[in-house]
Amino acid sequence: MVQPTQQNIEDLAGAALAELSALDSLESLEQWRIAYLGRRGSLTVVLRGLAGLDIEERRRIGALANQAKQSLESGLEARTREINEAALLRAAQEDRLDVTLPGRYPAEGRLHPTTQIVREICAAFAGMGFSVVEGPEVEWDHYNFEMLNIPKGHPARDMWNTLWVDYTNEAGEQPMLLRTHTSPMQARVMESRRPPVRVIVPGKCYRYEATDATHEWHFYQVEGLAVDEGITFANLKGTLYEFARRLFGEERRVRFRCDYFPFVEPGVDMSIDCFACQGASGQAQDGGCRICRDSGWIEIMGAGMVHPRVLSGVGYDPDKYTGFAFGLGPERIAMLKYGIDDIRHFYANDLRFLRQF
Ligand code: DAH
């Protein structure tokens, strides 16, 4: 057995620590530990050799050997920690979060263009003192036609291609239908309150219709009704003129022409001068005006003075009260305003279309 000396303990410890500092993996550290501190490791062998020394030397060299063992152990511990930390740091750097990457935006919803235009229309009338009411989409024949001066069998019913609902009341006398316009709310509102009445009614309507670029079988309407003592045709014109200016610009001009709707007398249609060609009134432009088809005018709604029969039908005295009513199609208004060429876009649910609004 080798006799340990101060010299060979110091040499051994120095070599071991120098070797240790060059190691850079946990596996090589383990090999190092086995080589020096393992059961047959160099330092262990040296320690075992202490037994052969005399008592004085054993105490002196033993203390040195223990110190050497401790410094090897703490060196190993420190190096293990360093290697672990380096590994952690490397891992952290490898899957580091790159905060300069643009984030993923959550899909954002928005209002349907029809909803937007309906709200805009309602806001324009609300600003003139009208309040908003809504009514049923499945309606009685009674309100959709009868109360609007459109009796059964009357040819005027042909103006509305009706989708009937397979249902009648117990008496079997009131066919149901999908409302063909928002006008039935005129009678419903007047039955429920006394004048003055000033309401607008936005809502969905249905017609048995072949679809094309300007016809849908379902669409929106906004109905309007104002009834009080002393309301005249001048009030109708003034109100609708103001509406046209609010939606289509301050400089708009309007035109009223005779039209027929059974629930008004006189009945009119209202047009605005074409905002696209500035109402170049029939003077054809290069290629023509797509919006007004070179007529200079764009029809935007039907209107009229409430028919006395509609008033008396709901118990209003037509000698005391007068009123005006109007109805317009928001999709048509939106098509004009935003240059949309096909009403079917509104209900095709194509995001490329919807995202533009
Ligand atoms: N309800 C009519 C339609 O669907 C539109 C209309 C015209 C409404 C004249 C009115 C009006 O209130 O006075 O064709």
Side-chain angles (χ1 to χ4, degrees), residues 182-296:
T182 42
S183 307
M185 276 305 283
Q186 290 190 21
R188 284 183 177 273
V189 167
M190 287 191 283
E191 275 180 350
S192 70
R193 56 177 98 167
R194 307 301 308 163
V197 169
R198 243 180 285 148
V199 292
I200 41 168
V201 189
K204 217 163 179 197
C205 306
Y206 303 83
R207 286 188 200 171
Y208 183 63
E209 198 100 60
T211 58
D212 63 24
T214 52
H215 296 86
E216 256 290 3
W217 66 274
H218 59 149
F219 52 91
Y220 274 79
Q221 276 196 349
V222 178
E223 186 80 10
L225 177 71
V227 179
D228 200 358
E229 282 181 59
I231 289 193
T232 70
F233 197 82
N235 299 121
L236 177 156
K237 285 173 75 177
T239 306
L240 297 184
Y241 180 33
E242 178 58 22
F243 165 75
R245 286 156 42 104
R246 285 187 187 193
L247 248 85
F248 291 100
E250 281 292 305
E251 66 287 354
R252 286 285 67 76
R253 292 183 299 139
V254 295
R255 179 185 73 177
F256 293 92
R257 287 190 308 182
C258 286
D259 202 346
Y260 170 69
F261 301 97
F263 34 89
V264 284
E265 180 58 37
V268 295
D269 70 54
M270 184 178 94
S271 303
I272 56 175
D273 61 330
C274 182
F275 50 82
C277 63
Q278 297 302 332
S281 301
Q283 295 155 24
Q285 325 219 311
D286 295 348
C289 179
R290 272 175 57 241
I291 308 279
C292 68
R293 296 203 182 84
D294 282 334
S295 73

Side-chain angles (χ1 to χ4, degrees), residues 114-128 200 221-222 243 247 326 328-331 333-334:
T114 309
T115 306
Q116 292 186 36
I117 199 82
V118 166
R119 290 191 181 180
E120 202 180 322
I121 292 166
C122 288
F125 284 110
M128 292 187 269
I200 41 168
Q221 276 196 349
V222 178
F243 165 75
L247 248 85
F326 53 89
L328 57 94
E331 287 97 343
I333 302 276

Side-chain angles (χ1 to χ4, degrees), residues 10 56 72 74 79 99 109 145 169 180 205 209 214 219 274 285 296 340 343:
E10 281 168 359
E56 276 299 301
L72 257 60
S74 59
R79 190 72 193 128
V99 292
F145 290 129
N169 68 358
T180 58
C205 306
E209 198 100 60
T214 52
F219 52 91
C274 182
Q285 325 219 311
I340 300 162
I343 193 173

